[in-house]
Amino acid sequence: MTLPGSPHLAYRGASLFIDGCAAASLAQRFGTPLYAYSRASMLESLADYQRALVGRDHLICYAMKANSNLAVLQAFAQAGCGFDIVSGGELERALAAGADPAKIVFSGVGKTRADMRRALEVGVMCFNVESEAELGVLSQVATAIGATANVSLRVNPDVDAGTHPYISTGLKGNKFGIAHEDAVANYVRAADMPGLRVVGIDCHIGSQITDSGPYLDALDRLLDLIEQVEARGIPIRHLDLGGGLGITYTDEAPPSAEALVRSLLERIDARGHGHRKIMFEPGRSLVGNAGVLVSEVLYMKPGREPNGDPAGAGKNFCIVDAAMNDLMRPAMYQAWMGIVACNLRDEPATLCDVVGPVCESGDWLGRERELAVHAGDFVAVLSAGAYGMTMASNYNTRGRAAEVMVCGDQAFLIRDRELPHELFSGEHLLPTA
Ligand code: LLP
């Protein structure tokens, strides 16, 4: 039986497997909470994009904020990917994993001068500039060190991606990008500023988008702008359509990456822009379904009224050792993520809320789930490969989880579990009198 999202996650008999490794065995060997990823699943998701782009000048820049473990970055770098980064920290991670700086695009509304300088020194491919003010600062930083910064303006096309308000980024009221009404004027300015070279245009309209309509709308707006900008004698070499393609958490049915890209290319060709370099910045769709968060059931806590209201005194709790600090998505976006037992039991399931040990009522991983589990069993939160570990915190002085990469029937530890003393090793007591 396969589970939603990835063929790399399936039951063999009663046991959940990630490729050739049983989830429960990984939990026993590496401890819990544990993030486990299938490398094959990640590379297949990438191949889905690549198939549609064969024979085109293109670059896929993995949005590493989705999962920035060095081994994940290494796998994508070796497969020819570039990276979309949003901080100086991400730049250093990408370089440490072997990324080619000439394939790195630097996005984000708040780049610091120090970040810009470092990115120029290592020779990133381009800066996705998000405001007029940023253009001015980038020009100053570049001229001060005698460099030229390649720039692409991130345009806010004002299209509704139809997704959660916290992850919708292409609407007028969002902080992201330059309003499309102001884009041409900013290109004209940028083309005249010292230390800058205009090379492209980009947009990113949101995340977990399950329909190609908003992408096509945004694309049309970008093509309109390219035509206006080039009519003013400023060539635009590349067109970057951002990331945002959704995955299946429950019953969402997003287009495949291949289908989405093909429909965009068809429009690009139809409007006579087929000669341009095409770029994408996918995050979630490359890694989301490739990972699970494995956790041990610590306690079953039945409701006070066994047959009472499951939302009130009848509510049962399944208390696990993973919490909101390990996986923020449910608490932060009320995100629904699948939760399954790593070993199926032949007994009736109980309706329960799966919660963690953190001292917050918002600390839940799943509500009203049917699970047949006992204390000591392992459960897996599905589709946790994106925005899981990268959003983890140390709240409640909880060390962050370990991570393993499954390659066929082998599992490699790709990040050590954090130990308590490491969490406060950078803190200092005040001098005593
Ligand atoms: N490019 C830019 C400029 C972005 O801001 C993002 C994501 C991406 C690419 C990649 O988007 P993706 O393909 O992963 O949708 N923490 C949220 C998602 C935040 C996305 C932020 N930007 C979540 O857990 O749902």
Short mmCIF file of all heavy atoms in Angstrom, two decimals, residues 139-184:
data_model
loop_
_atom_site.label_atom_id
_atom_site.label_comp_id
_atom_site.label_asym_id
_atom_site.label_seq_id
_atom_site.Cartn_x
_atom_site.Cartn_y
_atom_site.Cartn_z
N SER A 139 23.69 48.93 -5.76
CA SER A 139 24.56 49.70 -6.64
C SER A 139 25.76 50.25 -5.86
O SER A 139 26.91 50.16 -6.29
CB SER A 139 23.75 50.83 -7.29
OG SER A 139 24.59 51.76 -7.91
N GLN A 140 25.48 50.78 -4.66
CA GLN A 140 26.58 51.32 -3.83
C GLN A 140 27.56 50.22 -3.42
O GLN A 140 28.78 50.40 -3.52
CB GLN A 140 26.01 51.90 -2.53
CG GLN A 140 25.37 53.25 -2.65
CD GLN A 140 24.64 53.62 -1.35
OE1 GLN A 140 24.84 53.00 -0.30
NE2 GLN A 140 23.79 54.62 -1.42
N VAL A 141 27.03 49.09 -2.97
CA VAL A 141 27.91 48.02 -2.49
C VAL A 141 28.77 47.50 -3.64
O VAL A 141 29.97 47.30 -3.49
CB VAL A 141 27.07 46.87 -1.85
CG1 VAL A 141 27.95 45.67 -1.52
CG2 VAL A 141 26.33 47.35 -0.61
N ALA A 142 28.14 47.31 -4.79
CA ALA A 142 28.88 46.77 -5.94
C ALA A 142 29.97 47.74 -6.38
O ALA A 142 31.13 47.34 -6.58
CB ALA A 142 27.92 46.47 -7.08
N THR A 143 29.64 49.04 -6.50
CA THR A 143 30.65 49.99 -6.98
C THR A 143 31.78 50.12 -5.97
O THR A 143 32.95 50.22 -6.35
CB THR A 143 30.04 51.38 -7.30
OG1 THR A 143 29.11 51.71 -6.28
CG2 THR A 143 29.32 51.39 -8.61
N ALA A 144 31.44 50.04 -4.68
CA ALA A 144 32.49 50.17 -3.65
C ALA A 144 33.54 49.07 -3.76
O ALA A 144 34.70 49.28 -3.41
CB ALA A 144 31.85 50.15 -2.25
N ILE A 145 33.15 47.89 -4.23
CA ILE A 145 34.17 46.83 -4.34
C ILE A 145 34.55 46.57 -5.81
O ILE A 145 35.19 45.57 -6.13
CB ILE A 145 33.72 45.52 -3.65
CG1 ILE A 145 32.44 44.94 -4.28
CG2 ILE A 145 33.53 45.71 -2.15
CD1 ILE A 145 32.15 43.51 -3.83
N GLY A 146 34.13 47.46 -6.69
CA GLY A 146 34.51 47.34 -8.10
C GLY A 146 33.87 46.14 -8.79
O GLY A 146 34.45 45.57 -9.71
N ALA A 147 32.69 45.75 -8.32
CA ALA A 147 32.01 44.59 -8.92
C ALA A 147 30.78 45.06 -9.70
O ALA A 147 30.35 46.20 -9.57
CB ALA A 147 31.59 43.61 -7.83
N THR A 148 30.26 44.15 -10.50
CA THR A 148 28.98 44.43 -11.16
C THR A 148 27.99 43.38 -10.69
O THR A 148 28.26 42.19 -10.75
CB THR A 148 29.13 44.33 -12.69
OG1 THR A 148 30.13 45.27 -13.10
CG2 THR A 148 27.81 44.66 -13.40
N ALA A 149 26.83 43.86 -10.21
CA ALA A 149 25.80 42.93 -9.73
C ALA A 149 24.79 42.69 -10.84
O ALA A 149 24.23 43.64 -11.39
CB ALA A 149 25.09 43.53 -8.51
N ASN A 150 24.58 41.42 -11.17
CA ASN A 150 23.51 41.08 -12.11
C ASN A 150 22.19 41.20 -11.36
O ASN A 150 22.07 40.68 -10.26
CB ASN A 150 23.67 39.66 -12.62
CG ASN A 150 24.84 39.53 -13.56
OD1 ASN A 150 25.22 40.50 -14.23
ND2 ASN A 150 25.43 38.35 -13.61
N VAL A 151 21.21 41.88 -11.96
CA VAL A 151 19.94 42.01 -11.26
C VAL A 151 18.76 41.58 -12.11
O VAL A 151 18.75 41.71 -13.33
CB VAL A 151 19.67 43.46 -10.74
CG1 VAL A 151 20.72 43.91 -9.75
CG2 VAL A 151 19.55 44.45 -11.87
N SER A 152 17.81 41.05 -11.36
CA SER A 152 16.51 40.70 -11.91
C SER A 152 15.54 41.37 -10.96
O SER A 152 15.77 41.36 -9.75
CB SER A 152 16.39 39.18 -11.86
OG SER A 152 15.04 38.79 -11.91
N LEU A 153 14.50 41.99 -11.46
CA LEU A 153 13.54 42.59 -10.53
C LEU A 153 12.48 41.55 -10.22
O LEU A 153 11.90 40.93 -11.12
CB LEU A 153 12.89 43.83 -11.10
CG LEU A 153 13.81 45.02 -11.40
CD1 LEU A 153 12.97 46.28 -11.64
CD2 LEU A 153 14.81 45.27 -10.28
N ARG A 154 12.24 41.37 -8.92
CA ARG A 154 11.13 40.50 -8.54
C ARG A 154 9.86 41.33 -8.60
O ARG A 154 9.66 42.25 -7.80
CB ARG A 154 11.31 39.95 -7.13
CG ARG A 154 10.06 39.17 -6.70
CD ARG A 154 10.26 38.41 -5.44
NE ARG A 154 9.03 37.77 -5.02
CZ ARG A 154 8.90 37.11 -3.89
NH1 ARG A 154 9.93 37.02 -3.06
NH2 ARG A 154 7.75 36.56 -3.58
N VAL A 155 9.03 41.00 -9.55
CA VAL A 155 7.82 41.77 -9.78
C VAL A 155 6.67 41.13 -9.03
O VAL A 155 6.52 39.91 -9.00
CB VAL A 155 7.52 41.81 -11.30
CG1 VAL A 155 6.19 42.47 -11.57
CG2 VAL A 155 8.64 42.51 -12.03
N ASN A 156 5.89 41.98 -8.39
CA ASN A 156 4.67 41.49 -7.73
C ASN A 156 3.53 41.64 -8.73
O ASN A 156 3.06 42.74 -9.00
CB ASN A 156 4.42 42.32 -6.48
CG ASN A 156 3.20 41.83 -5.72
OD1 ASN A 156 2.36 41.15 -6.29
ND2 ASN A 156 3.13 42.16 -4.45
N PRO A 157 3.09 40.52 -9.33
CA PRO A 157 2.14 40.63 -10.44
C PRO A 157 0.70 40.85 -10.00
O PRO A 157 -0.19 40.98 -10.84
CB PRO A 157 2.29 39.29 -11.15
CG PRO A 157 2.75 38.34 -10.11
CD PRO A 157 3.48 39.12 -9.07
N ASP A 158 0.45 40.87 -8.69
CA ASP A 158 -0.90 41.04 -8.14
C ASP A 158 -1.86 39.99 -8.68
O ASP A 158 -2.91 40.30 -9.24
CB ASP A 158 -1.42 42.47 -8.42
CG ASP A 158 -2.70 42.76 -7.62
OD1 ASP A 158 -2.90 42.11 -6.58
OD2 ASP A 158 -3.49 43.62 -8.06
N VAL A 159 -1.48 38.73 -8.50
CA VAL A 159 -2.42 37.65 -8.81
C VAL A 159 -2.64 36.84 -7.54
O VAL A 159 -1.75 36.72 -6.70
CB VAL A 159 -1.94 36.70 -9.95
CG1 VAL A 159 -1.69 37.46 -11.23
CG2 VAL A 159 -0.72 35.91 -9.54
N ASP A 160 -3.83 36.30 -7.42
CA ASP A 160 -4.19 35.55 -6.22
C ASP A 160 -3.85 34.08 -6.44
O ASP A 160 -4.44 33.43 -7.29
CB ASP A 160 -5.68 35.74 -5.95
CG ASP A 160 -6.08 35.10 -4.63
OD1 ASP A 160 -5.22 34.48 -3.98
OD2 ASP A 160 -7.27 35.23 -4.27
N ALA A 161 -2.90 33.59 -5.65
CA ALA A 161 -2.48 32.19 -5.81
C ALA A 161 -3.47 31.24 -5.14
O ALA A 161 -3.31 30.02 -5.22
CB ALA A 161 -1.08 32.01 -5.24
N GLY A 162 -4.46 31.78 -4.46
CA GLY A 162 -5.50 30.96 -3.87
C GLY A 162 -4.98 30.04 -2.78
O GLY A 162 -5.42 28.91 -2.64
N THR A 163 -4.04 30.53 -1.98
CA THR A 163 -3.44 29.67 -0.96
C THR A 163 -3.55 30.35 0.41
O THR A 163 -4.13 31.42 0.55
CB THR A 163 -2.00 29.30 -1.41
OG1 THR A 163 -1.42 28.45 -0.45
CG2 THR A 163 -1.11 30.51 -1.59
N HIS A 164 -2.99 29.73 1.45
CA HIS A 164 -3.08 30.28 2.80
C HIS A 164 -2.49 31.69 2.83
O HIS A 164 -1.44 31.94 2.23
CB HIS A 164 -2.29 29.36 3.75
CG HIS A 164 -2.46 29.68 5.21
ND1 HIS A 164 -1.86 30.77 5.80
CD2 HIS A 164 -3.18 29.07 6.17
CE1 HIS A 164 -2.19 30.80 7.09
NE2 HIS A 164 -2.99 29.77 7.33
N PRO A 165 -3.15 32.64 3.53
CA PRO A 165 -2.65 34.02 3.52
C PRO A 165 -1.19 34.16 3.94
O PRO A 165 -0.48 35.04 3.44
CB PRO A 165 -3.56 34.75 4.52
CG PRO A 165 -4.55 33.76 5.02
CD PRO A 165 -4.40 32.48 4.29
N TYR A 166 -0.69 33.29 4.82
CA TYR A 166 0.70 33.42 5.25
C TYR A 166 1.67 32.98 4.17
O TYR A 166 2.86 33.27 4.26
CB TYR A 166 0.98 32.55 6.49
CG TYR A 166 0.49 33.14 7.78
CD1 TYR A 166 -0.40 34.20 7.81
CD2 TYR A 166 0.91 32.62 8.99
CE1 TYR A 166 -0.87 34.72 8.99
CE2 TYR A 166 0.45 33.12 10.19
CZ TYR A 166 -0.43 34.17 10.19
OH TYR A 166 -0.88 34.67 11.37
N ILE A 167 1.21 32.22 3.18
CA ILE A 167 2.14 31.74 2.16
C ILE A 167 1.75 32.21 0.76
O ILE A 167 2.15 31.66 -0.23
CB ILE A 167 2.34 30.20 2.22
CG1 ILE A 167 1.02 29.45 2.19
CG2 ILE A 167 3.15 29.82 3.44
CD1 ILE A 167 1.18 27.93 2.17
N SER A 168 0.94 33.28 0.73
CA SER A 168 0.58 33.91 -0.53
C SER A 168 1.44 35.16 -0.64
O SER A 168 1.48 35.96 0.29
CB SER A 168 -0.90 34.27 -0.48
OG SER A 168 -1.24 34.97 -1.63
N THR A 169 2.16 35.31 -1.73
CA THR A 169 3.16 36.38 -1.76
C THR A 169 3.02 37.31 -2.95
O THR A 169 3.74 38.30 -3.04
CB THR A 169 4.58 35.76 -1.79
OG1 THR A 169 4.61 34.78 -2.83
CG2 THR A 169 4.93 35.12 -0.49
N GLY A 170 2.11 37.01 -3.88
CA GLY A 170 2.07 37.80 -5.11
C GLY A 170 0.90 38.77 -5.19
O GLY A 170 0.51 39.20 -6.27
N LEU A 171 0.32 39.13 -4.04
CA LEU A 171 -0.80 40.07 -4.04
C LEU A 171 -0.30 41.45 -3.63
O LEU A 171 0.70 41.58 -2.93
CB LEU A 171 -1.86 39.60 -3.04
CG LEU A 171 -2.87 38.58 -3.57
CD1 LEU A 171 -3.69 38.03 -2.41
CD2 LEU A 171 -3.80 39.23 -4.59
N LYS A 172 -1.09 42.46 -4.02
CA LYS A 172 -0.70 43.85 -3.75
C LYS A 172 -0.31 44.10 -2.29
O LYS A 172 0.62 44.82 -2.00
CB LYS A 172 -1.86 44.77 -4.10
CG LYS A 172 -1.75 45.37 -5.46
CD LYS A 172 -2.73 46.53 -5.60
CE LYS A 172 -2.70 47.03 -7.03
NZ LYS A 172 -3.98 47.03 -7.68
N GLY A 173 -1.07 43.52 -1.37
CA GLY A 173 -0.83 43.80 0.04
C GLY A 173 0.37 43.07 0.63
O GLY A 173 0.66 43.23 1.81
N ASN A 174 1.08 42.28 -0.15
CA ASN A 174 2.23 41.55 0.40
C ASN A 174 3.49 42.41 0.39
O ASN A 174 3.60 43.33 -0.41
CB ASN A 174 2.49 40.28 -0.43
CG ASN A 174 1.36 39.26 -0.35
OD1 ASN A 174 0.86 38.80 -1.34
ND2 ASN A 174 0.97 38.92 0.86
N LYS A 175 4.42 42.06 1.25
CA LYS A 175 5.66 42.86 1.33
C LYS A 175 6.62 42.56 0.19
O LYS A 175 7.65 43.20 0.04
CB LYS A 175 6.36 42.60 2.66
CG LYS A 175 6.95 41.19 2.80
CD LYS A 175 7.70 41.02 4.12
CE LYS A 175 8.14 39.56 4.27
NZ LYS A 175 8.79 39.30 5.55
N PHE A 176 6.29 41.54 -0.62
CA PHE A 176 7.26 41.04 -1.58
C PHE A 176 7.22 41.75 -2.93
O PHE A 176 6.16 42.10 -3.43
CB PHE A 176 7.03 39.54 -1.83
CG PHE A 176 7.19 38.74 -0.58
CD1 PHE A 176 6.09 38.32 0.14
CD2 PHE A 176 8.46 38.44 -0.12
CE1 PHE A 176 6.25 37.60 1.32
CE2 PHE A 176 8.63 37.73 1.06
CZ PHE A 176 7.52 37.30 1.77
N GLY A 177 8.39 41.92 -3.53
CA GLY A 177 8.48 42.35 -4.92
C GLY A 177 8.15 43.81 -5.17
O GLY A 177 7.74 44.56 -4.28
N ILE A 178 8.35 44.19 -6.43
CA ILE A 178 8.09 45.56 -6.89
C ILE A 178 6.76 45.51 -7.64
O ILE A 178 6.57 44.64 -8.50
CB ILE A 178 9.24 46.01 -7.81
CG1 ILE A 178 10.54 46.13 -6.98
CG2 ILE A 178 8.90 47.30 -8.54
CD1 ILE A 178 11.78 46.47 -7.77
N ALA A 179 5.84 46.41 -7.29
CA ALA A 179 4.52 46.39 -7.92
C ALA A 179 4.68 46.42 -9.44
O ALA A 179 5.54 47.15 -9.96
CB ALA A 179 3.72 47.61 -7.46
N HIS A 180 3.88 45.64 -10.15
CA HIS A 180 4.13 45.57 -11.59
C HIS A 180 3.93 46.91 -12.26
O HIS A 180 4.58 47.21 -13.26
CB HIS A 180 3.35 44.43 -12.26
CG HIS A 180 1.89 44.66 -12.40
ND1 HIS A 180 1.01 44.53 -11.37
CD2 HIS A 180 1.16 45.02 -13.48
CE1 HIS A 180 -0.21 44.79 -11.80
NE2 HIS A 180 -0.15 45.08 -13.07
N GLU A 181 3.11 47.79 -11.66
CA GLU A 181 2.92 49.14 -12.23
C GLU A 181 4.23 49.95 -12.18
O GLU A 181 4.42 50.88 -12.95
CB GLU A 181 1.85 49.93 -11.46
CG GLU A 181 0.45 49.34 -11.51
CD GLU A 181 0.18 48.35 -10.38
OE1 GLU A 181 1.16 47.80 -9.82
OE2 GLU A 181 -1.00 48.12 -10.07
N ASP A 182 5.10 49.61 -11.21
CA ASP A 182 6.34 50.39 -11.04
C ASP A 182 7.54 49.71 -11.68
O ASP A 182 8.67 50.22 -11.61
CB ASP A 182 6.65 50.56 -9.53
CG ASP A 182 5.52 51.26 -8.79
OD1 ASP A 182 4.80 52.05 -9.43
OD2 ASP A 182 5.35 50.99 -7.58
N ALA A 183 7.32 48.55 -12.26
CA ALA A 183 8.46 47.75 -12.70
C ALA A 183 9.24 48.43 -13.83
O ALA A 183 10.48 48.50 -13.76
CB ALA A 183 7.99 46.36 -13.14
N VAL A 184 8.54 48.95 -14.83
CA VAL A 184 9.27 49.52 -15.98
C VAL A 184 10.16 50.67 -15.52
O VAL A 184 11.35 50.73 -15.86
CB VAL A 184 8.28 49.97 -17.09
CG1 VAL A 184 9.05 50.66 -18.22
CG2 VAL A 184 7.51 48.76 -17.64
#
